Amino acid sequence: MSLCHPIMWQERQLKLLRDEIEAILVPLSEIAGFSDLIKQPLTQSRQGLVIGSTKHDPWPLLPLIVCEAISGQYKHALPAIAALQLLRIAAEVFDDVEDADSSMSLSARYGSAIATNVATTLIILAEKAITRLKRTRVEDQTIIRVFDTINSCYITTCIGQHLDLSLIPGEGVSEEKYLKIAYMKSASTLECACCVGTSLATQDQELIEIFSTFGHNLGMASQIANDIQGILQGSDIIKRKITLPVIFALNQADYRRRNILKRAFDNSTESAPNLTQTRELLFRTGAINYATVKMEFYKQLAQDSLAEAERTGVRVERLKLFLE
Amino acid sequence: MKSQALQELVKRIFSDEKTKLQFTSDPDSVISQFALTDQEKRAVLTAYAKLGLVTSNSQQLEAALKPTYTWYSPIP
């Protein structure tokens, strides 16, 4: 494995991934309107894979990088990585239908029926993509394992989404429950990506465990980083989203501050929350500090996994980029 | 992961000026008063070394969030 300039290897791998997804979408190309609809969520920057652009967002490459770090090869894994990308985007389209909180989403622009059909199609395309592993000469036993890993992960994601949707507004959420949902909805997909990348590189169960743990902890750290950004940018305050720093502050702040925060995050209140005051209180109560410590906690655990993998001879340089 | 001791530690630092001062001059002496796991202690010390006590937005905080945030945006 040559360690050329990061942008160069990202570009090369992203191009191959885009080509793979384009090939998977070929059967839809005869019906232009539908094909364009399917491509729309794929072309939004949030998804990390902008077809036909040179944007460098390497998240979709994580399982490829894991695979290459272990075996020195990654091209045979492309169909599975494309499947993961399609499933992630399907989950986001469904999430937008369920949450109905984005004016830019497919469901907001075309209605929930069209969006649901697009998301369903993306799932079927992902299943088709996994079968393309046969073309890259992956053994049947490994293909079945990849299928099982991905399906198990997305069952977890669906349960996490159910738990999230079932939360009763105004009822307190414990940190334990929040972290459970964060794992199921979010971190499990990174755990899955790393597990798939490893499974396509080796049958060594110990390495599969090490990289699954790495993905889990990377996912938790990413979720918490996202929570902190949501406060800094104000988007989660405006949406009155109960995230880790908010849970800390609601549980630990003194009576006066807690009441102000309760009002700010009360969904039944019509007036908009005071952005500056709320953000300031989350700093003053130590909530943001607490969240950064928790983020660091998971990052350190992810680094421990990489160190463990390195001891077995895996070259983890590129994976460190996700943490540093 | 239950982290009651970690919550208590951060709460104490941010609600008691004396503890805050003690933490900034000798973090270990404050940390040792709480039943943190080894990983939690390491996380507290690493986060403090990188960011100090986080009391407002800063370039360091943005920089600390950047790798994971830009690499991956969780489903909201």
Side-chain angles (χ1 to χ4, degrees):
Chain A
M1 180 176 68
S2 64
L3 286 172
C4 56
H5 191 277
I7 297 299
M8 284 172 67
W9 61 259
Q10 282 174 31
E11 265 181 15
R12 194 171 60 238
Q13 292 187 338
L14 276 173
K15 184 183 179 313
L16 288 170
L17 184 53
R18 286 190 189 105
D19 292 347
E20 182 68 24
I21 290 181
E22 291 282 8
I24 294 161
L25 297 181
V26 163
L28 304 177
S29 59
E30 286 177 15
I31 307 155
F34 189 50
S35 175
D36 292 344
L37 268 177
I38 296 289
K39 283 184 181 177
Q40 276 194 34
L42 285 163
T43 57
Q44 286 174 6
S45 60
R46 183 160 69 103
Q47 328 299 347
L49 181 70
V50 184
I51 291 178
S53 113
T54 54
K55 184 179 178 287
H56 307 298
D57 190 345
W59 179 84
L61 300 180
L62 173 61
L64 277 189
I65 299 168
V66 168
C67 186
E68 190 185 25
I70 298 165
S71 66
Q73 294 171 359
Y74 64 88
K75 287 182 183 168
H76 65 289
L78 280 162
I81 309 322
L84 288 171
Q85 185 67 14
L86 292 166
L87 282 170
R88 173 176 159 77
I89 292 163
E92 292 197 5
V93 175
F94 276 130
D95 190 71
D96 283 335
V97 172
E98 288 154 9
D99 293 351
D101 62 353
S102 167
S103 59
M104 294 300 290
S105 69
L106 214 60
S107 58
R109 282 181 290 163
Y110 302 97
S112 58
I114 296 276
T116 302
N117 192 43
V118 166
T120 308
T121 309
L122 286 164
I123 292 174
I124 310 292
L125 289 169
E127 301 265 310
K128 291 277 288 175
I130 298 170
T131 64
R132 285 169 64 90
L133 284 170
K134 194 77 186 156
R135 295 184 185 198
T136 55
R137 298 190 181 158
V138 175
E139 287 179 9
D140 288 352
Q141 199 184 344
T142 306
I143 297 175
I144 291 168
R145 197 184 323 137
V146 166
F147 246 122
D148 190 43
T149 301
I150 293 176
N151 282 331
S152 299
C153 161
Y154 275 88
I155 288 169
T156 302
T157 308
C158 290
I159 298 170
Q161 179 73 344
H162 172 74
L163 292 175
D164 194 20
L165 292 169
S166 304
L167 290 175
I168 299 165
E171 202 169 89
V173 184
S174 67
E175 178 179 311
E176 204 177 356
K177 186 163 189 178
Y178 172 80
L179 292 175
K180 184 180 175 186
I181 293 174
Y183 162 66
M184 296 182 92
K185 265 189 76 174
S186 177
S188 65
T189 60
L190 282 193
E191 183 179 308
C192 173
C194 290
C195 184
V196 167
T198 314
S199 298
L200 288 164
T202 180
Q203 292 186 0
D204 182 337
Q205 198 54 40
E206 194 188 340
L207 269 180
I208 293 172
E209 290 286 331
I210 289 171
F211 277 101
S212 298
T213 306
F214 166 73
H216 170 103
N217 290 310
L218 178 65
M220 294 302 288
S222 301
Q223 178 62 59
I224 296 171
N226 195 265
D227 288 356
I228 299 169
Q229 277 286 359
I231 300 298
L232 299 183
Q233 293 170 350
S235 53
D236 285 353
I237 299 174
I238 292 165
K239 288 181 188 168
R240 303 178 198 276
K241 203 169 164 189
I242 305 292
T243 57
L244 186 66
V246 181
I247 292 168
F248 175 88
L250 288 174
N251 287 323
Q252 306 298 338
D254 59 36
Y255 181 77
R256 187 185 65 82
R257 287 172 168 172
R258 191 182 309 160
N259 275 344
I260 297 170
L261 287 168
K262 265 186 180 175
R263 278 198 300 277
F265 287 93
D266 182 355
N267 276 313
S268 62
T269 311
E270 283 191 9
S271 58
N274 182 326
L275 208 59
T276 311
Q277 182 194 40
T278 307
R279 193 188 290 125
E280 184 64 21
L281 274 180
L282 290 170
F283 275 112
R284 282 195 192 170
T285 53
I288 303 296
N289 190 90
Y290 178 73
T292 61
V293 172
K294 291 288 281 193
M295 178 182 72
E296 193 58 46
F297 175 85
Y298 288 109
K299 273 190 179 182
Q300 298 276 334
L301 293 181
Q303 274 164 355
D304 289 348
S305 295
L306 289 186
E308 210 178 336
E310 204 166 19
R311 281 195 289 276
T312 69
V314 176
R315 296 188 66 177
V316 297
E317 289 86 351
R318 286 177 184 168
L319 290 162
K320 286 181 181 171
L321 292 174
F322 286 85
L323 294 163
E324 292 166 354
Chain B
M1 178 195 68
K2 277 189 173 178
S3 42
Q4 209 167 335
L6 186 58
Q7 291 167 14
E8 287 295 327
L9 168 71
V10 177
K11 180 185 177 180
R12 176 90 68 84
I13 291 169
F14 278 79
S15 60
D16 177 29
E17 276 304 315
K18 199 176 150 193
T19 307
K20 186 185 272 185
L21 277 175
Q22 190 186 340
F23 182 82
T24 52
S25 60
D26 183 7
D28 285 318
S29 69
V30 177
I31 288 170
S32 64
Q33 297 168 33
F34 295 82
L36 301 183
T37 64
D38 288 344
Q39 289 100 330
E40 285 173 334
K41 283 179 194 167
R42 189 173 55 151
V44 171
L45 291 171
T46 311
Y48 181 64
K50 285 182 184 173
L51 302 167
L53 285 177
V54 182
T55 55
S56 63
N57 197 0
S58 65
Q59 283 184 341
Q60 289 100 315
L61 179 57
E62 297 275 1
L65 298 175
K66 204 178 172 191
T68 40
Y69 186 71
T70 53
W71 282 78
Y72 173 67
S73 294
I75 295 168

